[in-house]
Amino acid sequence: MGPLAALLVATPIFGFQLQLEPAYMPDATSPAVQVALQQAEGGDAEGPARGSIAEQMQTRARLTPLHKWMGIATWASMTVTVALGWAQYNNLYGFFSSREDTPCVREGGSPAFGRRACVDTPWPHLASSILTTALYTSTFSLSLRMPDPIGLDEGDGEYARNLRRHKRLRWVHLAGMIAQNVLGIIIANSETFGLNRSEDYGTLQALSTVHLALGLATYATLTWAGLIFLLN
C-alpha cells in the first residue's frame, strides 16, 4: 500500500444494526439495563441518567445504518486493494520465483498493467489503498460516535457474545493493518532504506511476501468480523 495508508486506523468494519431484540438483550441485572427498562416503562429512574441513556441510544440508532453501509463499502474497497496488491506482487516477485523468472524481467512476460508497472509507482494499487484508507477512517470516526450506555456486549446472550467477538477481532485486524502499512512504506521506499531491487532482491521478496500475507490475514479477519453478524 502507499504511504498514505500508514494513517489508517481500525474500526469494527461491519457495524450492523444493533436491535434490542429479546433474544439478544444483555444481562437484565445490569444497572444500566435496569435504568433503561425503567425509563421505557415510565418508571422513575434516577434523574439525569434517564435522559442520557435515551439520548445516547437515539444517537446510536441514527448512526448504525450509516456505519453499516460505510463498513460494507470499506470491505469492498479493501477487496479491490488486496487483488491489486496480489497482481503487483506477482509482477515484481512472482511466487517464490527468481528475479529473472518474474513477469517484469522474463522475456515474453506479461506483467499486469503493462511494463510501466514494473518501474513506476503502482498507481492502481496506490489509488485503491488511498480510497480504502479514506473509507476506513470515516467508518472508524462513526464508530467513535456510537455510544453503548446499556452494555450491548454484556451478558450471555447470542448477540452479546457475537459483539464481544466482533470487538476482539478489530484489534487483530488493527495489528495486521499497522504491520502491513509499515512494511508497505519500507518496500515502496526501499532505496531510502538501503535496499536495491537488483542487489537485495531476496530481502525485498521476503518483505513483500510478509506484506502480502499480512494483507490477506487482515482482509480475512475483517471478513470474519462481518460474517459474525451476517450468519447469526
Side-chain angles (χ1 to χ4, degrees):
M1 293 186 179
L4 287 181
L7 301 177
L8 198 59
V9 289
T11 179
I13 288 297
F14 299 91
F16 292 94
Q17 287 273 17
L18 300 179
Q19 303 286 350
L20 293 182
E21 299 179 8
Y24 299 146
M25 281 290 290
D27 189 348
T29 63
S30 167
V33 174
Q34 289 293 326
V35 172
L37 292 176
Q38 288 179 22
Q39 180 184 357
E41 295 169 357
D44 291 327
E46 295 182 1
R50 293 176 53 189
S52 176
I53 289 176
E55 291 168 1
Q56 290 181 67
M57 292 307 293
Q58 288 172 0
T59 298
R60 189 179 188 92
R62 289 195 302 269
L63 293 178
T64 48
L66 179 59
H67 182 58
K68 165 188 172 180
W69 291 111
M70 286 295 295
I72 292 174
T74 302
W75 178 86
S77 179
M78 188 170 289
T79 302
V80 175
T81 302
V82 169
L84 292 172
W86 182 288
Q88 183 64 16
Y89 175 85
N90 183 60
N91 280 347
L92 296 175
Y93 303 103
F95 287 90
F96 307 102
S97 301
S98 65
R99 179 173 175 271
E100 292 72 22
D101 198 35
T102 61
C104 279
V105 177
R106 185 178 65 246
E107 183 177 354
S110 300
F113 310 110
R115 290 283 174 183
R116 293 190 64 86
C118 299
V119 294
D120 290 344
T121 299
W123 290 111
H125 183 52
L126 177 59
S128 180
S129 69
I130 291 173
L131 176 60
T132 300
T133 299
L135 291 170
Y136 207 132
T137 304
S138 297
T139 307
F140 175 71
S141 298
L142 286 172
S143 75
L144 291 179
R145 298 179 58 194
M146 294 175 61
D148 184 10
I150 64 172
L152 289 169
D153 61 349
E154 299 175 4
D156 295 325
E158 181 181 358
Y159 185 88
R161 291 195 301 271
N162 285 337
L163 186 55
R164 286 197 297 272
R165 188 178 300 112
H166 183 77
K167 288 183 175 181
R168 293 187 191 110
L169 285 172
R170 67 181 171 182
W171 299 114
V172 178
H173 64 63
L174 169 61
M177 188 65 67
I178 292 174
Q180 70 164 335
N181 286 333
V182 171
L183 282 174
I185 291 173
I186 294 173
I187 294 165
N189 301 278
S190 58
E191 293 188 0
T192 302
F193 293 93
L195 296 172
N196 182 280
R197 177 168 161 76
S198 297
E199 299 176 0
D200 302 293
Y201 175 81
T203 300
L204 286 171
Q205 184 184 48
L207 290 173
S208 297
T209 300
V210 174
H211 176 62
L212 177 63
L214 284 171
L216 293 171
T218 302
Y219 175 70
T221 304
L222 294 175
T223 303
W224 184 12
L227 291 177
I228 286 173
F229 285 104
L230 283 175
L231 301 181
N232 289 282

